[in-house]
Amino acid sequence: PMLARFYGITEGVRAVSDGESLDLGGKTLRFFHIPFVHWPETMATYEETQKVLFSCDAFGGFRALDGVLFDDEVDVAEYEDEALRYFSNIVGMQSKAVLRAIEKLADLAIEVIAPSHGLVWRKDPGHIVELYSRWARIEARPEVTIVFGSMYGFTARMAEAVARGIAEEGVPVRVLDAGRVHVSFLIREAWKRKGLVIGAPTYDTGIFPPVEYFLRLLERKRLRDRVVGLFGSYGWKGGSVLKMRERVEALGWELVGEVSFHGAPTPEDLARARELGRKVAERVGAVAPEA
Ligand SMILES: Cc1cc2nc3c(=O)[nH]c(=O)nc-3n(C[C@H](O)[C@H](O)[C@H](O)COP(=O)(O)O)c2cc1C
């Protein structure tokens, strides 16, 4: 039905069923339905003579490849981040379907994985399968991501203090400004690390919108099991930290602490932020295995 609805193609079409083979004369294709590795009708196609898996949206990655096609032509360690940005934003919500697909394809002898997006894996196709499997199980590093937004810079100042507290515990930390960094990168960084500290000032009684958008997307992506801290400035009555707390509780994440403060942070507020950072770092160290 997609071909008809999206492209008006109705002639010369035959739907193949799960497990079916098609002899092209010299090449044989075998089809595997891997539903919801993004779309309901996602299907992987295996070419038996050359052992190539055309994996559709599974094992894909982002980024313009600048003329490059294969995994042996790039620094894979560097490219992995773009594969994770794709995974977390496009198929992360369907992590269970990804794990089912990996299991279903496990018995195939695969020499090349050619996804619809990103690199073709011919040197080490097992590597991207291993990465996808880890990401779909939401295995996270024992580190902390701080995502904050700030209109006048007060919440930004606190973000630095939280980061300092985390670093003092010897835990790696990455700080990102939701007002400047595209949300797909924020999602990726949150997917990577066990700890997540979120800072937002109050905006029209609620969460500053760039941060609220980030949180809403994490809900949609069904990111689980985060150790969380919250902070934010307000002008008169506040509300952002309270509303973030409600969201965090609904997600079932572990809330370690929160700091709400009036206007510009005082030295006491900054000390509380540092303490929040230390507590989150400690808890992350206690619950997350070494990656
Ligand atoms: C558009 C806008 C809406 C705001 N709405 C609220 C509000 O509903 N309640 C409140 O207490 N403060 C509100 N404030 C004040 C900010 O929360 C306050 O100035 C805070 O210190 C800003 O922190 P920041 O420097 O991190 O942006 C608002 C400010 C702006 C610019």
Side-chain angles (χ1 to χ4, degrees), residues 149-156 201-206 233-238 263-264:
S150 189
M151 297 179 284
Y152 309 136
F154 299 145
T155 304
T202 298
Y203 178 104
D204 294 349
T205 75
S233 179
Y234 62 89
W236 50 96
K237 188 160 178 288

Short mmCIF file of all heavy atoms in Angstrom, two decimals, residues 149-156 201-206 233-238 263-264, ligand 1:
data_model
loop_
_atom_site.label_atom_id
_atom_site.label_comp_id
_atom_site.label_asym_id
_atom_site.label_seq_id
_atom_site.Cartn_x
_atom_site.Cartn_y
_atom_site.Cartn_z
N GLY A 149 19.07 25.24 29.31
CA GLY A 149 18.70 26.39 28.49
C GLY A 149 18.74 27.60 29.39
O GLY A 149 18.60 27.47 30.61
N SER A 150 18.94 28.78 28.82
CA SER A 150 19.04 29.96 29.66
C SER A 150 18.78 31.20 28.82
O SER A 150 19.31 31.34 27.73
CB SER A 150 20.44 30.02 30.29
OG SER A 150 20.52 31.02 31.26
N MET A 151 17.93 32.10 29.35
CA MET A 151 17.61 33.32 28.59
C MET A 151 18.60 34.44 28.91
O MET A 151 19.11 35.10 28.03
CB MET A 151 16.17 33.76 28.91
CG MET A 151 15.14 32.73 28.47
SD MET A 151 13.44 33.20 28.85
CE MET A 151 13.35 32.87 30.61
N TYR A 152 18.87 34.66 30.20
CA TYR A 152 19.76 35.76 30.60
C TYR A 152 21.11 35.27 31.10
O TYR A 152 21.93 36.06 31.54
CB TYR A 152 19.11 36.60 31.70
CG TYR A 152 17.70 37.07 31.42
CD1 TYR A 152 16.72 37.00 32.39
CD2 TYR A 152 17.36 37.59 30.17
CE1 TYR A 152 15.42 37.43 32.15
CE2 TYR A 152 16.06 38.02 29.92
CZ TYR A 152 15.10 37.94 30.90
OH TYR A 152 13.83 38.36 30.66
N GLY A 153 21.30 33.96 31.12
CA GLY A 153 22.61 33.43 31.52
C GLY A 153 22.70 32.94 32.95
O GLY A 153 23.74 32.42 33.37
N PHE A 154 21.61 33.07 33.75
CA PHE A 154 21.69 32.65 35.16
C PHE A 154 21.73 31.13 35.29
O PHE A 154 22.55 30.58 36.03
CB PHE A 154 20.49 33.22 35.95
CG PHE A 154 20.43 34.72 35.95
CD1 PHE A 154 19.21 35.39 35.93
CD2 PHE A 154 21.60 35.48 35.99
CE1 PHE A 154 19.15 36.78 35.94
CE2 PHE A 154 21.55 36.87 36.00
CZ PHE A 154 20.32 37.52 35.97
N THR A 155 20.85 30.46 34.57
CA THR A 155 20.83 29.00 34.62
C THR A 155 22.13 28.44 34.01
O THR A 155 22.65 27.42 34.45
CB THR A 155 19.58 28.45 33.90
OG1 THR A 155 18.42 29.06 34.50
CG2 THR A 155 19.46 26.94 34.01
N ALA A 156 22.66 29.16 33.02
CA ALA A 156 23.93 28.75 32.40
C ALA A 156 25.06 28.76 33.44
O ALA A 156 25.89 27.84 33.47
CB ALA A 156 24.28 29.68 31.24
N PRO A 201 15.23 27.69 33.08
CA PRO A 201 14.52 28.74 33.80
C PRO A 201 13.01 28.61 33.57
O PRO A 201 12.58 27.92 32.64
CB PRO A 201 15.04 30.02 33.15
CG PRO A 201 15.46 29.62 31.78
CD PRO A 201 15.91 28.19 31.87
N THR A 202 12.26 29.29 34.44
CA THR A 202 10.80 29.28 34.27
C THR A 202 10.40 30.25 33.17
O THR A 202 10.90 31.38 33.09
CB THR A 202 10.12 29.69 35.59
OG1 THR A 202 10.46 28.72 36.58
CG2 THR A 202 8.60 29.72 35.44
N TYR A 203 9.52 29.78 32.32
CA TYR A 203 9.07 30.55 31.17
C TYR A 203 7.55 30.40 31.10
O TYR A 203 7.05 29.28 30.96
CB TYR A 203 9.75 29.98 29.93
CG TYR A 203 9.37 30.60 28.60
CD1 TYR A 203 10.24 31.49 27.96
CD2 TYR A 203 8.18 30.27 27.97
CE1 TYR A 203 9.92 32.03 26.73
CE2 TYR A 203 7.84 30.82 26.74
CZ TYR A 203 8.71 31.69 26.13
OH TYR A 203 8.40 32.22 24.90
N ASP A 204 6.83 31.48 31.29
CA ASP A 204 5.36 31.43 31.28
C ASP A 204 4.83 30.29 32.16
O ASP A 204 4.06 29.45 31.71
CB ASP A 204 4.83 31.28 29.85
CG ASP A 204 5.13 32.51 29.00
OD1 ASP A 204 5.55 33.55 29.56
OD2 ASP A 204 4.97 32.44 27.77
N THR A 205 5.28 30.27 33.37
CA THR A 205 4.95 29.30 34.44
C THR A 205 5.47 27.88 34.18
O THR A 205 5.27 26.99 35.01
CB THR A 205 3.43 29.21 34.73
OG1 THR A 205 2.80 28.48 33.68
CG2 THR A 205 2.77 30.57 34.88
N GLY A 206 6.13 27.66 33.07
CA GLY A 206 6.58 26.30 32.77
C GLY A 206 8.06 26.23 32.44
O GLY A 206 8.85 27.10 32.82
N SER A 233 16.49 28.71 37.21
CA SER A 233 16.23 30.03 37.78
C SER A 233 14.77 30.44 37.52
O SER A 233 14.15 29.95 36.58
CB SER A 233 17.17 31.05 37.14
OG SER A 233 16.92 32.34 37.64
N TYR A 234 14.25 31.33 38.38
CA TYR A 234 12.92 31.88 38.14
C TYR A 234 12.91 33.36 38.51
O TYR A 234 13.81 33.84 39.21
CB TYR A 234 11.84 31.11 38.91
CG TYR A 234 12.01 31.17 40.41
CD1 TYR A 234 11.42 32.20 41.15
CD2 TYR A 234 12.77 30.22 41.07
CE1 TYR A 234 11.58 32.27 42.53
CE2 TYR A 234 12.94 30.29 42.44
CZ TYR A 234 12.35 31.31 43.16
OH TYR A 234 12.53 31.38 44.51
N GLY A 235 11.88 34.07 38.03
CA GLY A 235 11.81 35.51 38.26
C GLY A 235 10.91 35.88 39.42
O GLY A 235 11.21 36.80 40.17
N TRP A 236 9.78 35.20 39.58
CA TRP A 236 8.87 35.54 40.69
C TRP A 236 8.30 34.30 41.35
O TRP A 236 8.48 34.09 42.53
CB TRP A 236 7.78 36.52 40.24
CG TRP A 236 7.02 36.16 38.99
CD1 TRP A 236 5.82 35.53 38.92
CD2 TRP A 236 7.40 36.44 37.64
NE1 TRP A 236 5.43 35.38 37.61
CE2 TRP A 236 6.37 35.93 36.79
CE3 TRP A 236 8.51 37.05 37.03
CZ2 TRP A 236 6.41 36.02 35.40
CZ3 TRP A 236 8.54 37.14 35.64
CH2 TRP A 236 7.51 36.64 34.84
N LYS A 237 7.67 33.39 40.63
CA LYS A 237 7.05 32.26 41.32
C LYS A 237 7.69 30.93 40.93
O LYS A 237 7.60 29.95 41.66
CB LYS A 237 5.55 32.24 41.00
CG LYS A 237 4.76 31.22 41.79
CD LYS A 237 3.27 31.57 41.79
CE LYS A 237 2.43 30.55 42.54
NZ LYS A 237 2.31 29.29 41.80
N GLY A 238 8.30 30.89 39.79
CA GLY A 238 8.94 29.64 39.37
C GLY A 238 7.94 28.66 38.79
O GLY A 238 6.81 29.01 38.47
N GLY A 263 16.38 34.39 40.41
CA GLY A 263 17.23 35.35 39.70
C GLY A 263 18.63 34.84 39.45
O GLY A 263 18.84 33.71 39.03
N ALA A 264 19.62 35.71 39.75
CA ALA A 264 21.02 35.31 39.56
C ALA A 264 21.45 34.39 40.69
O ALA A 264 21.01 34.57 41.83
CB ALA A 264 21.90 36.55 39.54
C1 LIG B 1 9.42 35.24 28.28
C2 LIG B 1 9.68 35.09 29.75
C3 LIG B 1 8.74 34.46 30.55
C4 LIG B 1 8.97 34.29 31.92
N1 LIG B 1 8.02 33.67 32.68
C5 LIG B 1 8.24 33.52 34.02
C6 LIG B 1 7.26 32.90 34.86
O1 LIG B 1 6.19 32.49 34.41
N2 LIG B 1 7.52 32.75 36.18
C7 LIG B 1 8.68 33.20 36.74
O2 LIG B 1 8.87 33.04 37.93
N3 LIG B 1 9.64 33.80 35.97
C8 LIG B 1 9.44 33.97 34.63
N4 LIG B 1 10.38 34.59 33.85
C9 LIG B 1 11.61 35.09 34.49
C10 LIG B 1 12.80 34.15 34.34
O3 LIG B 1 12.46 32.85 34.73
C11 LIG B 1 13.93 34.67 35.22
O4 LIG B 1 14.34 35.93 34.76
C12 LIG B 1 15.13 33.76 35.30
O5 LIG B 1 16.05 34.30 36.22
C13 LIG B 1 15.82 33.61 33.95
O6 LIG B 1 16.90 32.71 34.08
P1 LIG B 1 17.98 32.55 32.90
O7 LIG B 1 18.96 33.69 33.02
O8 LIG B 1 18.64 31.25 33.11
O9 LIG B 1 17.24 32.62 31.63
C14 LIG B 1 10.16 34.79 32.49
C15 LIG B 1 11.10 35.42 31.67
C16 LIG B 1 10.87 35.58 30.32
C17 LIG B 1 11.89 36.27 29.46
#
